[in-house]
């Protein structure tokens, strides 16, 4: 980790969000994780942003090192509130009102919802192998399908509660498939899983609403078509779930968009190709 990373104080009502900032100049970049991971998802990318832009990464409530209130409704709507708290902290502490939002995987819905509500505060929206609405091209990874399908998820959760070793193997199998480089895979999976058991309530609650969340956001497609800030779609082309078809559909929906498919990267595109992703995040928008 770059030694210049500093903590960023973010309060979410009575709770604390873990956030940190890598200082730089220009518009701050806010990096958001999906599930089942945390801010560590950006460990390999952050050094490539050093000296280029201010980079803020944070754990949503219930994840990583953020507070994990018991019986809290870990929903997309509340994640939008988390992002709002981070945005206000960036404004107050860094003096920046406009942001570059970087969403990956399950942070797509809260990031896009917030961007639609605050287009005047969005310098650029960057989508990394993420989703928002239901489309025939979208595929759930097997572990996500297991935990988000009604009835099936109840039995699956009961089994892993009783057999933590099975839970760890399932996590390693699924998340391991998201990382292309075998030399990176094992240490990365180990690092991410260390934080996952404590985040399981948030993971399961987001899975509970996953199908309804993506179906309900189809009604917001006209808003995506009218969204004026620049959008950069950067997907790992080897991802069979949030795949190149999903990327092209995003690029077609947003009127001011760029599409970059990274041929040698998979679902964890920021892990597989951190330098290229950093370049895509920090580069100026190409003129239409």
């Amino acid at each position: 980790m770059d030694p210049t990373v500093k903590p960023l104080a973010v309060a979410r009502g009575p709770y604390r969000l873990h956030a940190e900032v890598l200082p730089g100049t220009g518009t701050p970049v806010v990096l958001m994780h999906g599930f089942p991971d945390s801010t560590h998802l950006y460990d390999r990318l952050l050094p490539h942003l050093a000296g280029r832009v201010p980079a803020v990464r944070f754990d949503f409530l219930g994840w990583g090192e953020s507070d994990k209130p018991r019986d809290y409704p870990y929903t997309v709507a509340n994640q939008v509130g988390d992002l709002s708290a981070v945005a206000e902290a960036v404004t107050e502490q860094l003096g920046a009102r406009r942001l570059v939002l970087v969403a990956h995987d399950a942070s797509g819905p809260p990031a896009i919802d917030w961007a639609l509500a605050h287009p005047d505060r969005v310098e650029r929206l960057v989508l990394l192998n993420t989703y928002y609405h239901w489309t025939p091209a979208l595929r759930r990874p097997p572990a996500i399908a297991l935990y988000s399908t009604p009835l099936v998820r109840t039995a699956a959760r009961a089994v892993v509660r009783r057999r933590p070793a099975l839970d760890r193997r399932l996590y390693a199998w699924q998340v391991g498939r998201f990382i292309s480089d075998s030399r990176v895979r094992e240490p990365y999976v180990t690092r991410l899983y260390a934080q996952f058991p404590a985040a399981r309530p948030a993971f399961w609650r987001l899975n509970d609403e996953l199908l309804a969340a993506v179906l309900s956001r189809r009604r917001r497609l006209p808003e995506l078509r009218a969204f004026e800030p620049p959008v950069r779609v950067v997907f790992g082309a080897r991802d069979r779930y949030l795949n190149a078809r999903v990327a092209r559909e995003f690029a077609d929906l947003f009127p001011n968009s760029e599409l970059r498919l990274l041929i040698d990267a998979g679902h964890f595109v920021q892990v597989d190709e951190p330098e290229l992703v950093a370049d895509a995040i920090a580069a100026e928008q190409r003129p239409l």
Side-chain angles (χ1 to χ4, degrees):
M1 177 50 53
D2 191 289
T4 62
V5 168
K6 300 176 181 178
L8 183 73
V10 182
R12 176 76 161 97
Y15 307 117
R16 180 196 62 88
L17 288 174
H18 170 73
E20 54 193 19
V21 57
L22 179 70
T25 59
T27 304
V29 170
V30 178
L31 305 166
M32 286 165 275
H33 68 86
F35 59 11
D37 43 85
S38 68
T39 55
H40 284 304
L41 184 64
Y42 292 97
D43 282 355
R44 283 169 57 83
L45 180 138
L46 211 58
H48 296 286
L49 292 177
R52 302 172 72 176
V53 292
V56 176
R57 62 176 182 173
F58 72 96
D59 289 316
F60 285 104
L61 208 63
W63 296 89
E65 296 181 44
S66 287
D67 286 350
K68 300 171 180 64
R70 189 171 182 178
D71 299 323
Y72 183 84
Y74 295 107
T75 62
V76 172
N78 275 321
Q79 287 189 322
V80 175
D82 293 349
L83 176 54
S84 291
V86 172
E88 292 313 307
V90 170
T91 298
E92 293 170 6
Q93 299 174 50
L94 303 184
R97 188 171 186 276
R98 293 175 65 83
L99 306 171
V100 174
L101 300 179
V102 180
H104 176 263
D105 191 75
S107 60
I112 294 174
D113 280 359
W114 192 89
L116 292 176
H118 306 279
D120 59 315
R121 299 192 61 184
V122 179
E123 181 77 16
R124 182 165 57 252
L125 177 62
V126 182
L127 304 178
L128 308 177
N129 290 76
T130 190
Y131 62 87
Y132 184 66
H133 61 287
W134 182 85
T135 165
L138 194 62
R139 299 285 184 271
R140 287 177 294 170
I144 300 301
L146 182 68
Y147 289 127
S148 62
T149 302
L151 300 180
V152 173
R153 67 192 181 205
T154 302
R157 294 172 189 185
V159 170
V160 298
R161 283 191 189 100
R162 294 194 300 268
R163 301 180 62 184
L166 176 62
D167 179 59
R168 185 183 184 98
R169 287 199 299 273
L170 177 62
Y171 186 97
W173 172 78
Q174 183 64 88
V175 175
R177 297 184 73 181
F178 294 160
I179 300 171
S180 298
D181 190 337
S182 59
R183 297 167 298 178
V184 175
R185 186 178 302 128
E186 184 175 351
Y188 226 96
V189 168
T190 299
R191 187 182 314 159
L192 291 173
Y193 185 78
Q195 294 182 317
F196 178 67
R200 195 179 285 119
F203 173 68
W204 284 346
R205 181 62 183 84
L206 279 178
N207 272 277
D208 287 345
E209 73 159 357
L210 177 61
L211 299 180
V214 297
L215 286 171
S216 68
R217 277 161 179 78
R218 284 189 61 82
R219 69 175 184 268
R220 304 200 70 176
L221 295 187
E223 296 177 70
L224 271 62
R225 295 188 180 99
F227 185 73
E228 294 183 357
V231 177
R232 186 165 289 151
V233 182
V234 185
F235 270 45
R238 291 186 176 182
D239 188 348
R240 62 181 71 179
Y241 311 111
L242 307 181
N243 49 63
R245 286 178 59 197
V246 175
R248 292 187 182 98
E249 289 178 4
F250 271 130
D252 289 342
L253 274 171
F254 289 105
N256 187 10
S257 67
E258 295 179 23
L259 173 62
R260 302 187 183 190
L261 292 176
L262 304 186
I263 302 303
D264 294 325
H267 180 65
F268 278 179
V269 62
Q270 61 277 82
V271 176
D272 287 345
E273 294 284 4
E275 186 171 2
L276 293 179
V277 173
D279 289 345
I281 289 170
E284 292 299 319
Q285 194 83 1
R286 297 168 182 165
L288 292 178

